[in-house]
Each structure stands twice: as C-alpha cells, then as structure tokens.
Amino acid sequence: MQTTHPTEATVASINGVALHNAGDALTADELRQRAYAELLRQTAIQKGLLDANDDPGTDGMASEAASTAIETLLEQELLVPEPSEEACRRHHAANQASHYTTGERVHVRHILFAVTPGVDLNALRKQAEGTLLNVRCFDNNNTNDAFSKAASTLSNCPSGADGGQLGWLTTTDCAPEFAKELFGHPEVGVLPRLVHSRFGLHVVEVLAREAGLAQPFESVHGAVRMTLKQQTYVTALRQYLSLVAGAASVQGVDLEAADTPLVQ
C-alpha cells in the first residue's frame, strides 16, 4: 500500500477516488470509515458485484446498489465458522458473572458533563477529570457532601438537583455503554475513571450493589454462540480490510494494511 500523508490542502482518496470535498473538516475516524467503505465499494466492482459506473460520491453516503454489493461481497469473502460447543462453554464459564446473570442492580449517582454541539471537548474533559479527582480526594465522611455539591453545581443532568441520584438501576435502565461500566464489576464507591456514554462524560459513584442470578449455559447458549460468532466476524473483517488496503493507493488517511492474505 502506498500512503501519502495529507497537507493542509490534501483531499484524501483511495486509488484516486476522493473521499470528501476540498475544505471538508473530517475527523480521523470519519476519514477511515469512508476509506474502508470506498475500498469495499471498489473491490465489489472488481469482483463484478457492482456496476463500474456506480457514483462514489464525496458525502460518505453509499448508493443503495453499492451497499447491497458490499454486503454480498462480505458474505462471499469472509469465512465465519460456527463456534464449537467447547468454545461456547469456555466463554460462558469465563464471563458468567459479568455477562450472563439476570437481576443485577446497582445504586448509582453521577455527575454528567454533556457533550453538546460546539462544546470544547478538551476543556470539558479537563473539567470532568478535575471533578473526579476532587470527589475522590475526600474521605468517606465527606464524600457525600463533595459529590452532592459537585452534582448540584456542575451536572448537566436533572438529577443534579438531587445530588446526582439515579437510584437503583438494572442493565435495561441505561445506555449499553454506560451499563458496561457499571454491571459485572465488584467496585463500590466513586469509580476511578470517567465513564463515557452517548450523552457525555460521567463521574460515577456506585453506592451499593445487589448481585444477579447466574444463568446456566443451557439457557443462554444461543446468546453465547452469537457473541463468539460476532467476535470472529469482526476479526475476519479487520483482516480482510487490511488485505484490500495493502493493495490500494491510499492518500491522506492512515490505514492498517497487510501485504499478504490474512483471511483463511
């Protein structure tokens, strides 16, 4: 793969096909997403799955025909075997406490630093990190007052008026990315890290936990199998993308690439 790093006026491209218009401000992740989509679109054309006259566009939106062709391409190219019963049982045994329980509850309060249009993310993160450090510095006798005060004055959530109290939560009561940080862990107290969610950055205190009931393998076998299959799919997709990137001329965007086939 030949990669050219961008200058201020560079338009990122794959094999000469522009990924955006000159002057567009895209993040590195947005550029990579567009680059991988364009790699797959061009590969679909090479494989005869898409008309060569398909318009690539520069707005990041694939045509309906291109989307269908890419889906067909991946179905043909990615080998995603069914996980064995043994692998499923190993995964269940290793993750039962964190993923395969029912009824777990946590008593939580938080301080939300919301990510809103135009917000200075660096300044927001610094404020959130400073608040986290501040509430963790108080001893147990004073943590309540410090946390409640910070929530009432800084939180962008209505719960701030009640000291950040969210009450008892189950996994279905909150966003998946928030639940991932709360459930299946033994921690009680102010979490030593900021919790990221679609709403922003959270300083979180777990006040109490109620353990859930472990689900036997037989009752969650289907979920375990799908989890392992999804993990295998993601790995195969990354390898395939590295392969096609290794054969492409890439300008203005950094992609992982491989010079030899990785998908077996």
Side-chain angles (χ1 to χ4, degrees):
M1 178 185 71
Q2 179 183 356
T3 302
T4 303
H5 293 279
T7 63
E8 193 169 312
T10 296
V11 172
S13 63
I14 299 294
N15 293 324
V17 177
L19 301 176
H20 59 93
N21 296 308
D24 286 351
L26 300 176
T27 67
D29 284 344
E30 288 171 333
L31 269 180
R32 276 191 290 271
Q33 287 177 350
R34 291 194 183 188
Y36 284 130
E38 179 56 25
L39 281 167
L40 292 175
R41 192 192 72 85
Q42 292 183 18
T43 304
I45 291 174
Q46 294 167 9
K47 298 285 185 179
L49 300 173
L50 180 64
D51 192 296
N53 292 321
D54 179 75
D55 183 7
T58 54
D59 58 359
M61 299 296 291
S63 68
E64 183 176 349
S67 296
T68 300
I70 289 172
E71 184 177 343
T72 302
L73 172 71
L74 295 179
E75 288 177 354
Q76 293 180 357
E77 297 292 319
L78 301 187
L79 177 61
V80 185
E82 289 290 334
S84 67
E85 171 108 355
E86 181 184 359
C88 288
R89 288 188 177 277
R90 284 199 307 268
H91 176 82
H92 175 263
N95 296 277
Q96 186 176 36
S98 58
H99 291 88
Y100 303 110
T101 61
T102 183
E104 181 183 3
R105 299 201 308 161
V106 291
H107 188 194
V108 176
R109 60 181 180 173
H110 79 146
I111 304 166
L112 171 63
F113 296 86
V115 174
T116 55
V119 70
D120 185 330
L121 293 178
N122 288 330
L124 187 72
R125 176 179 293 278
K126 287 181 180 178
Q127 185 183 27
E129 289 175 343
T131 301
L132 173 61
L133 179 62
N134 181 56
V135 298
R136 293 193 72 210
C137 281
F138 285 87
D139 60 36
N140 290 336
N141 293 327
N142 294 321
T143 298
N144 286 340
D145 292 338
F147 200 104
S148 294
K149 182 177 180 180
S152 65
T153 57
L154 299 174
S155 183
N156 300 128
C157 176
S159 66
D162 192 26
Q165 287 282 351
L166 294 176
W168 285 96
L169 302 177
T170 66
T171 55
T172 59
D173 293 327
C174 44
E177 65 274 18
F178 192 77
K180 183 179 179 181
E181 295 293 330
L182 293 183
F183 295 92
H185 304 289
E187 298 162 309
V188 174
V190 179
L191 300 186
R193 60 195 175 277
L194 292 175
V195 174
H196 297 244
S197 82
R198 65 196 66 182
F199 305 108
L201 307 174
H202 307 252
V203 176
V204 175
E205 182 177 12
V206 176
L207 301 168
R209 291 183 179 274
E210 286 184 357
L213 298 176
Q215 296 178 288
F217 175 74
E218 289 70 22
S219 67
V220 294
H221 176 259
V224 172
R225 183 179 60 80
M226 290 304 298
T227 295
L228 290 184
K229 193 167 183 178
Q230 177 63 20
Q231 291 174 355
T232 303
Y233 178 87
V234 170
T235 299
L237 177 59
R238 286 174 175 169
Q239 293 175 340
Y240 185 71
L241 288 172
S242 293
L243 175 62
V244 295
S249 174
V250 179
Q251 180 176 2
V253 55
D254 289 321
L255 300 177
E256 296 179 359
D259 295 322
T260 55
L262 297 175
V263 180
Q264 302 299 322

